[in-house]
Amino acid sequence: DVKVTQSSRYLVKRTGEKVFLECVQDMDHENMFWYRQDPGLGLRLIYFSYDVKMKEKGDIPEGYSVSREKKERFSLILESASTNQTSMYLCASTRQEITREQYFGPGTRLTVT
Amino acid sequence: AQRVTQPEKLLSVFKGAPVELKCNYSYSGSPELFWYVQYSRQRLQLLLRHISRESIKGFTADLNKGETSFHLKKPFAQEEDSAMYYCALRFSGTYKYIFGTGTRLKVLA
């Protein structure tokens, strides 16, 4: 059973703080993704990674960075949190070729005050 | 521009009625399309994908390249089908996906 875990379910941070969101998968997946999920906007891709230390920008990378030092872990970093980054953040992973299905984590609801 | 459109934010149907959730896409390449579902307090999960041509929980979806659509259908809705449904497209040759804005399905007793 594929497991994608995220470090926190709920997080409250202040404007200007540096925020780390962690995602870990246990199925040796090559690809990992960070999305934000907002009502009426659906899921929007922030960044994805197809290998260790490799990353590509998604559709809304501004204000975010990522780190992938190990295959199983993909971190999303908000360098200086702002109120418009209040959202649900979803991590996902997938094998490179075989199924192409994305497996999602439970999400982290981040509130920036 | 590449786009996935789900025109309905909310769809309410009575139990036993047919359901159709619409999805249209705009993509110049060869698309790979998916439907994902999120039940209340659960994580997003795959419902079905067009390449498998499968039926999951009574749902089917046919890729219509002429109309660039991938509508999700079920002949008889159940209350447990109430959830948020997202249509997604994977760009061929890449790992990148785009998702629609989602449709909330409410099945009324």
Side-chain angles (χ1 to χ4, degrees), chain A residues 22-85:
Chain A
E22 303 281 336
C23 175
V24 177
Q25 50 92 5
D26 66 357
M27 285 301 292
D28 202 36
H29 284 177
E30 291 84 2
N31 306 320
M32 296 186 76
F33 305 79
W34 276 106
Y35 295 91
R36 60 179 284 177
Q37 183 182 29
D38 298 289
L41 297 177
L43 273 73
R44 293 178 292 165
L45 181 64
I46 305 171
Y47 268 97
F48 68 101
S49 169
Y50 50 90
D51 203 349
V52 174
K53 297 191 187 296
M54 305 303 288
K55 61 186 179 185
E56 280 200 30
K57 292 180 180 179
D59 299 314
I60 52 164
E62 296 79 19
Y64 303 94
S65 62
V66 290
S67 172
R68 191 154 180 215
E69 297 296 319
K70 293 185 178 182
K71 192 175 186 180
E72 68 271 18
R73 188 179 297 269
F74 192 35
S75 303
L76 179 70
I77 304 153
L78 286 67
E79 295 290 342
S80 177
S82 63
T83 54
N84 63 14
Q85 292 178 310

Side-chain angles (χ1 to χ4, degrees), chain A residues 3-8 22-26 91 104-106, chain B residues 43:
Chain A
K3 258 299 183 49
V4 181
T5 57
Q6 294 182 230
S7 50
S8 306
E22 303 281 336
C23 175
V24 177
Q25 50 92 5
D26 66 357
C91 175
F104 284 87
Chain B
R43 62 184 69 194

Side-chain angles (χ1 to χ4, degrees), chain B:
Chain B
Q2 296 95 345
R3 191 166 49 241
V4 173
T5 303
Q6 294 181 249
E8 303 132 333
K9 283 188 176 179
L10 173 65
L11 185 64
S12 296
V13 301
F14 284 102
K15 179 180 169 183
V19 173
E20 182 178 70
L21 293 106
K22 291 184 167 50
C23 173
N24 288 91
Y25 66 91
S26 172
Y27 180 53
S28 55
S30 183
E32 190 171 348
L33 287 148
F34 304 80
W35 276 99
Y36 282 83
V37 61
Q38 189 169 28
Y39 301 103
S40 179
R41 298 191 187 87
Q42 293 188 28
R43 62 184 69 194
L44 200 59
Q45 59 187 286
L46 178 69
L47 181 63
L48 54 79
R49 53 195 150 188
H50 90 271
I51 57 171
S52 303
R53 303 183 68 81
E54 56 202 344
S55 172
I56 304 293
K57 299 185 179 183
F59 284 98
T60 58
D62 288 319
L63 177 60
N64 186 324
K65 290 188 178 179
E67 295 183 0
T68 60
S69 69
F70 188 56
H71 302 328
L72 184 68
K73 299 177 184 179
K74 185 169 182 177
F76 308 103
Q78 313 276 329
E79 287 181 76
E80 55 265 31
D81 295 329
S82 295
M84 193 73 174
Y85 291 80
Y86 292 96
C87 183
L89 179 152
R90 189 182 73 88
F91 296 109
S92 59
T94 79
Y95 309 115
K96 188 178 175 183
Y97 296 72
I98 55 170
F99 284 77
T101 53
T103 297
R104 181 167 297 284
L105 174 65
K106 284 191 176 178
V107 181
L108 308 169

